[in-house]
Amino acid sequence: MNLAPAEYLLPSDSDHLELAERVTARQACGEDSAVTLSRHIYDSFDWRLFLAGLTLEWGLSEAAAADHHDRCASTPASVEDGQAALVVPENGLVLTLREPRDPSAAPVLQWSALEPGFLSEMPDGPVRERLAGLLGIRRLLPMTELISARRRLRLLNEDRKTVVRLVIERNRFRNPATGETGDLSARLRLKPVRGYAREFTDVEQWVRNELGLEPIEGPQVLEALTAAGCRPGGYSSKLDYRLDPDQRADLATKEIHRGLLKTLEANVEGARRNLDSEFLHDLRVATRRTRSALSQIKEVFPATEVDDFKQRFAWLQQVTGPMRDLDVYLLDLPALEKRLPESLRDDLRPLRGLLNDQYQSVQAELAKALESDPFDALLRDWHAFLDAPAPADPEAGQPGTSQPSSGGDSTAPPPKRAQQPIKQVANQRIRKMLERVRSEGRAITETSPPEELHELRKSCKKLRYLMEFFQSLYEPARIRGQIKQTKVLLDNLGRFQDTAVQAQHLRETAEAEGCRDGGIPPATLLAMGLLIGQLQDEQARARSGFSEVFRGFDSDANAARFDALLSDGKGRKRQIGRR
Amino acid sequence: MQTIALYSIKGGVGKTTTAVNLGFLAAAEGWRTLIWDLDPQGAASFFFRIKTEVEGGGRALLRHRRVLEAAIKGTDFEGLDLLPADFSYRHLDLELSRGDKPKRQLRRVLKPLAQEYDLILFDCPPSISLVSENVFAVADALLVPLIPTTLSTRTLEQLDTFLNEKLPKNAPLLLPFFSMADSSKALHRAVMKSVPGQGRLVLRSVIPETAEVERMGLHRMPILAYAGDEAAVAAYRGLWQEVKDALPAR
Ligand SMILES: Nc1ncnc2c1ncn2[C@@H]1O[C@H](COP(=O)(O)OP(=O)(O)OP(=O)(O)O)[C@@H](O)[C@H]1O
Ligand SMILES: [Mg+2]
């Protein structure tokens, strides 16, 4: 049986010297040299490990750190410095994956001299195995550093053999991004020595009864993360609003925009530094949703301002486009390679090389845009607009005369729907967009050009966004059902569109490169041609599946469900009235 | 997981002393290490002050894996565990002779340990037996201490022949090194000079014969844990480095 270590919080005023004296008075002790240990805690930006109940540490193992200290024969780096200024011997670096919710679960260890990043680059081993499927294409980022100075006592039996380890630990954190440091709570740890369970239990009881300490199931990592300003699990690109159906439409819409802006801003830094491709993806989705909300939630804001912001967000969408295209191209490449017969796969390699060559300059352009004045100004102005006090309620005063935020606009008529209840606006907008999707979809025949499907996809996306913005205004199961139904249609249109884009990418590359001196070799062009053919086949399959998918969307049953969703007096409004 | 056996047909050549010190060094670098004391005299267990009785007795033997797990003891050094001699002798022989492939049994016994340890060091008794044949079949390397005399180098030849006959395809790596060397003796000097020249690989690190190593029995711990500035300490570190370099990458 393997016992789990026990951990206790030490009060901030506790005297560690005296504590050690009490331990040594109880039982003969040996002592190992003190060590200062630095562990970096990693997670993805969207906290996939944390949400799965895991924490990943990377740093020297304690044994290696102790050996290193001893051999340097210098005093251990002081924890007060806030950093363990160690020259790290590479072969002692270890990845430790813990499951803090289950303290008896043995941690998964893997030696790795390589800083964690993408899973695909991590050396093979049990940690990588355990993380497979969890991280996708997200990069592991250093979230906080936990620095622990340990005094290490060994409790001995009558043969002077170690039977329990007792550690008195002072802790600090360091924020890897800002360098900021600070204190964390001190801890006492008991570590069982294998094969000496009875002795461990005795000491455990003594610590509880005589020292008056209560064991904590201490995810110490959580303390270090919080101290460094992290909010584990705090990021999600999913829309999750709690709107009040009777809220004024302009205010509710600002709330929607504020949520989108928060997501957008959260991703700027990661996209600028290209930490992984999801940052830019989420940034672009937030931008697209913002544009969609600006144009689809009509007549709630002054038209001149809406037009201005629409233009500026369109600019943002445009300057972030080339990098996203390249990301998609590169992400798709392995799947494209698999489509080719094995004998031809190597022929595609020059294409990857070409894309990688373009990568740096395209990324540099993106970074420049995200550091530019227009971008700064956009965020600043958009914040100012969203945070400006709302125009007064017509019942409370004169409409239009008391708009402090837009003095120049005071003569313009107030937006028509600004004061309407948001639920009313939501119903109207969803209905409108639903009608558009239906009529566009019905107009599509076997011979319609691809542009029409593309247009339908755009409308369909707008419908989906509207339902997602306003989700909280409706009966939860119903709205979820309708969003899902819409996604089925979107998936079909997406497959059609994505294969078209892939084929187009290949064609454009081939045309640009084929006639260039020192361009990609003929064998690669041939392989690309083969791929284009295959993609076109797949596109044709998606195309032929369209009419059936659309028929499902356009069915009487689905229309009835939309009616039930949008008919007044149903759903959230009544529930709230009842309370 | 890597497995290294300290092995020699001859007795008293420094097998146990080396196993104990290399185990200490490996654990100090963070390798999760197990020393498996296969010698009924339990010298390795003695060095770690571990009593060599196993609880559970014969009945529990039926659930072999649990007995094995329960028999392992932590040492004074973090990351370094020991499987006492008693386990090996009261139970292992019995276990090994069961089944239809008695020379392959140890592999099965080792399997559950692969997750727990990065390194297993076998401290073998000086004999050829069912136990040592099992060890040969699982070890990545045999580390063979040679006292620099002509006699000891001859037994190395014999071992080499034996391994190649028994395990023609997957004989463990043979890593001989000079142990208990006394450079004041002309014979030692001559042997150490000539043997590597005969086309045989001998590790460069030489463990000198010193009084401090002998005193390990008084301290009851690896020399590396208490003596800092000692010729033998540097020699063991050098030896460990060479062994690591010779092993396939972790
Ligand atoms: N380098 C050395 N210098 C001095 N004495 C040594 C040295 N190495 C080992 N000895 C001593 O030699 C004796 C035998 O050493 P050790 O037990 O390590 O050999 P062994 O090969 O394991 O023996 P056995 O075959 O009996 O198991 C011990 O008393 C030990 O203290
Ligand atoms: Mg021995």
Side-chain angles (χ1 to χ4, degrees), chain A residues 416-446:
Chain A
K416 194 169 112 195
R417 298 179 187 278
Q419 323 267 355
Q420 288 180 1
I422 187 65
K423 178 74 182 269
Q424 189 184 329
V425 174
N427 279 340
Q428 191 263 349
R429 292 313 310 162
I430 293 175
R431 234 180 245 291
K432 258 271 157 50
M433 197 46 68
L434 178 61
E435 271 158 29
R436 184 147 126 207
V437 168
R438 278 185 187 141
S439 72
E440 284 178 6
R442 284 173 192 162
I444 288 174
T445 65
E446 297 289 304

Side-chain angles (χ1 to χ4, degrees), chain B residues 94-124:
Chain B
L94 242 173
E95 180 65 22
L96 292 180
S97 56
R98 290 190 329 190
D100 53 350
K101 283 186 180 159
K103 288 173 192 167
R104 293 285 187 278
Q105 289 293 314
L106 191 58
R107 188 176 297 281
R108 184 177 58 77
V109 177
L110 277 183
K111 219 173 212 162
L113 298 178
Q115 290 297 315
E116 280 182 75
Y117 295 102
D118 300 310
L119 175 66
I120 295 188
L121 279 166
F122 291 104
D123 182 25
C124 299

Side-chain angles (χ1 to χ4, degrees), chain A residues 248-250 297-306 385 391 394 399-400 403 406 409 412-420:
Chain A
R248 273 173 45 169
D250 55 353
I297 312 177
K298 287 186 197 299
E299 298 170 304
V300 294
F301 300 141
T304 47
E305 295 189 82
V306 168
F385 174 78
Q403 290 188 1
S406 47
D409 258 5
K416 194 169 112 195
R417 298 179 187 278
Q419 323 267 355
Q420 288 180 1

Side-chain angles (χ1 to χ4, degrees), chain A residues 474-544:
Chain A
Y474 296 93
E475 206 276 310
R478 269 200 186 128
I479 185 90
R480 266 203 309 273
Q482 291 321 97
I483 292 174
K484 215 165 156 192
Q485 184 73 32
T486 310
K487 274 187 190 160
V488 174
L489 180 54
L490 267 172
D491 281 350
N492 173 273
L493 293 166
R495 196 141 37 88
F496 180 78
Q497 179 71 15
D498 291 347
T499 45
V501 168
Q502 286 177 340
Q504 190 195 339
H505 273 155
L506 289 169
R507 186 187 296 275
E508 280 170 4
T509 314
E511 277 164 6
E513 285 295 304
C515 45
R516 189 171 68 84
D517 269 356
I520 43 187
T524 306
L525 290 172
L526 289 173
M528 288 163 72
L530 201 60
L531 277 177
I532 292 174
Q534 285 200 14
L535 289 166
Q536 280 171 348
D537 286 349
E538 175 149 338
Q539 198 185 358
R541 274 196 296 280
R543 181 72 173 81
S544 71

Side-chain angles (χ1 to χ4, degrees), chain B residues 132-144:
Chain B
S132 52
E133 281 194 55
N134 264 278
V135 168
F136 298 160
V138 297
D140 296 310
L142 293 190
L143 203 48
V144 186

Side-chain angles (χ1 to χ4, degrees), chain A residues 120-136:
Chain A
S120 57
E121 290 164 5
M122 189 182 281
D124 283 330
V127 169
R128 177 175 170 165
E129 239 164 67
R130 178 72 180 76
L131 293 180
L134 205 59
L135 274 176

